[in-house]
């Protein structure tokens, strides 16, 4: 495992929240010709490029313009009927947590100005995988069956750590779990069994469970690790009531598939 652990994020944001729509296929029609008429191939006129490119083929999917989502690069292409799916534990950020996050972000931006705050917070229990639409409900039901016997639990996430995605196209500042790790492993074990049932990719072998706080495009480990990381940890340690603030009671896991969200309670 590298110095910056991998995180299981899809490389696109909001555009992964809905099923990919692939455009319209242009179909040429040959109707109107009598059976006794043969086409004069040598007399056909070429179709202008402007017409050929009016209707992109469905196999290729929509153009992935990274400028529309912060420069992020998709790790798998949109395909009609495929839904990006992710299993995680939600974290509801309160006012004090957001105050701490603002302090961390302002300091980290002195080293990497392009860092931006995450819009929502969670702890991943799976990588981002692709489900066919008709698999979504059976997949969610399998998750419910698997985690039904797992007790609710508390965990603490108070160690600042720097992460990258697999492709090193995005860097994250996160808070790593320092207590409750065994319970997370139990959950991942059950989620992985569901992934295997559906022939999907399981989670990482040596996971670092964490809440991502901020991210940027590219590999910014050189700027953020070392002195910056040490100073960010000091901010967390010195923040008032940080020990209680970063202790979380887990009552559910969630599954997000496309634009659908499913809540799965723990015992």
């Amino acid at each position: 495992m590298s110095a910056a652990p991998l995180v299981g994020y899809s490389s696109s944001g909001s555009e992964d929240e809905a099923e990919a729509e692939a455009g319209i296929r242009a179909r040429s029609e040959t109707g109107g010709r009598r059976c006794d008429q043969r086409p004069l191939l040598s007399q056909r006129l070429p179709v202008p490029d402007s017409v050929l490119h009016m209707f992109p083929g469905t196999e290729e999917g929509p153009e992935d313009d990274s400028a529309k989502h912060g420069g992020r690069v998709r790790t798998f292409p949109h395909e009609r009927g495929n839904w990006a799916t992710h299993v995680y534990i939600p974290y509801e950020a309160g006012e004090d947590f957001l105050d701490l996050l603002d302090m961390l972000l302002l300091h980290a931006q002195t080293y990497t100005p392009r860092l931006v705050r995450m819009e929502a917070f969670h702890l991943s229990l799976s990588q981002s995988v692709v489900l066919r639409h008709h698999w979504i409900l059976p997949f969610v039901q399998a998750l419910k069956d698997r985690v039904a016997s797992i007790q609710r639990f508390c965990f603490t996430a108070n160690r600042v750590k720097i992460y990258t995605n697999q492709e090193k196209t995005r860097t994250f500042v996160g808070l790593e779990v320092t207590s409750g790790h065994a319970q997370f492993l139990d959950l991942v074990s059950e989620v992985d069994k569901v992934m295997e049932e559906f022939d999907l990719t399981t989670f990482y072998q040596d996971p670092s469970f964490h809440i991502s706080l901020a991210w940027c495009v590219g590999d910014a480990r050189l700027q953020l690790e070392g002195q910056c990381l040490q100073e960010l940890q000091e901010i967390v340690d010195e923040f008032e009531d940080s020990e209680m603030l970063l202790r979380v009671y887990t009552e559910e896991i969630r599954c997000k598939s496309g634009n659908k969200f499913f809540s799965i309670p723990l015992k």
Side-chain angles (χ1 to χ4, degrees), residues 97 101 104-105 116-119 121 160 172-175 210-215 236:
F97 179 84
L101 174 54
L104 292 169
L105 182 59
V116 294
R117 191 168 88 172
M118 300 293 291
E119 296 178 0
F121 307 97
V160 184
F172 301 84
V173 178
L175 287 174
H210 63 279
I211 305 170
S212 288
L213 307 176
W215 71 278
V236 171

Side-chain angles (χ1 to χ4, degrees), residues 26-28 43-55:
R27 299 184 184 275
S28 60
Q43 296 180 13
R44 289 181 179 174
L45 297 175
V47 180
D49 287 343
S50 59
V51 174
L52 288 173
H53 295 120
M54 287 173 65
F55 305 104

Side-chain angles (χ1 to χ4, degrees), residues 1-33:
M1 193 168 183
S2 63
L6 302 179
V7 291
Y9 291 104
S10 166
S11 292
S12 62
S14 60
E15 72 275 10
D16 279 337
E17 296 177 356
E19 179 182 3
E21 294 299 336
I24 304 169
R25 178 188 295 281
R27 299 184 184 275
S28 60
E29 300 294 341
T30 59
R33 205 172 55 222

Side-chain angles (χ1 to χ4, degrees), residues 7-259:
V7 291
Y9 291 104
S10 166
S11 292
S12 62
S14 60
E15 72 275 10
D16 279 337
E17 296 177 356
E19 179 182 3
E21 294 299 336
I24 304 169
R25 178 188 295 281
R27 299 184 184 275
S28 60
E29 300 294 341
T30 59
R33 205 172 55 222
R34 295 201 310 267
C35 331
D36 58 348
Q37 288 183 316
R38 298 178 60 83
L40 300 177
L41 297 178
S42 62
Q43 296 180 13
R44 289 181 179 174
L45 297 175
V47 180
D49 287 343
S50 59
V51 174
L52 288 173
H53 295 120
M54 287 173 65
F55 305 104
T58 55
E59 298 92 343
E60 299 176 0
E63 182 181 354
D64 189 16
D65 186 355
S66 62
K68 294 180 179 179
H69 38 80
R72 289 169 291 188
V73 180
R74 182 180 303 283
T75 56
F76 46 80
H78 272 316
E79 288 186 27
R80 188 178 185 85
N82 284 356
W83 291 56
T85 301
H86 180 221
V87 183
Y88 61 95
I89 290 176
Y91 178 77
E92 302 297 334
E95 184 177 346
D96 289 342
F97 179 84
L98 295 177
D99 288 343
L100 172 59
L101 174 54
D102 286 342
M103 293 175 63
L104 292 169
L105 182 59
L106 283 173
H107 191 78
Q109 285 174 333
T110 63
Y111 289 86
T112 306
R114 64 184 185 276
L115 275 170
V116 294
R117 191 168 88 172
M118 300 293 291
E119 296 178 0
F121 307 97
H122 66 268
L123 299 95
S124 292
L125 300 175
S126 79
Q127 299 193 53
S128 290
V129 297
V130 175
L131 275 181
R132 298 296 293 172
H133 183 265
H134 60 277
W135 289 351
I136 295 174
L137 292 182
F139 180 85
V140 172
Q141 185 59 53
L143 284 175
K144 289 180 179 179
D145 295 341
R146 284 289 182 184
V147 305
S149 61
I150 296 183
Q151 299 281 346
R152 302 174 183 187
F153 65 96
C154 287
F155 69 88
T156 301
N158 60 1
R159 181 185 295 136
V160 184
K161 203 161 186 176
I162 308 303
Y163 299 86
T164 63
N165 64 348
Q166 286 181 296
E167 299 76 23
K168 304 294 190 296
T169 58
R170 284 195 288 167
T171 303
F172 301 84
V173 178
L175 287 174
E176 185 183 31
V177 168
T178 54
S179 70
H181 189 82
Q183 289 88 338
F184 273 90
L185 289 176
D186 289 342
L187 278 172
V188 166
S189 176
E190 298 304 320
V191 172
D192 276 352
K193 291 173 184 175
V194 176
M195 294 294 180
E196 290 170 348
E197 289 176 21
F198 286 80
D199 198 24
L200 298 170
T201 305
T202 55
F203 206 41
Y204 304 109
Q205 290 297 313
D206 186 20
S208 172
F209 302 105
H210 63 279
I211 305 170
S212 288
L213 307 176
W215 71 278
C216 68
V217 172
D219 187 350
R221 289 174 296 172
L222 184 63
Q223 295 87 355
L224 293 172
E225 291 179 338
Q227 182 176 349
C228 177
L229 182 61
Q230 181 179 343
E231 292 167 354
L232 293 176
Q233 187 63 58
E234 290 173 358
I235 292 174
V236 171
D237 294 341
E238 295 171 5
F239 192 81
E240 185 177 1
D241 295 328
S242 64
E243 184 176 350
M244 292 300 299
L245 173 63
L246 300 176
R247 185 168 175 78
V248 183
Y249 182 58
T250 304
E251 301 180 280
E252 63 170 338
I253 70 171
R254 289 183 189 168
C255 177
K256 176 180 178 290
S257 188
N259 59 358

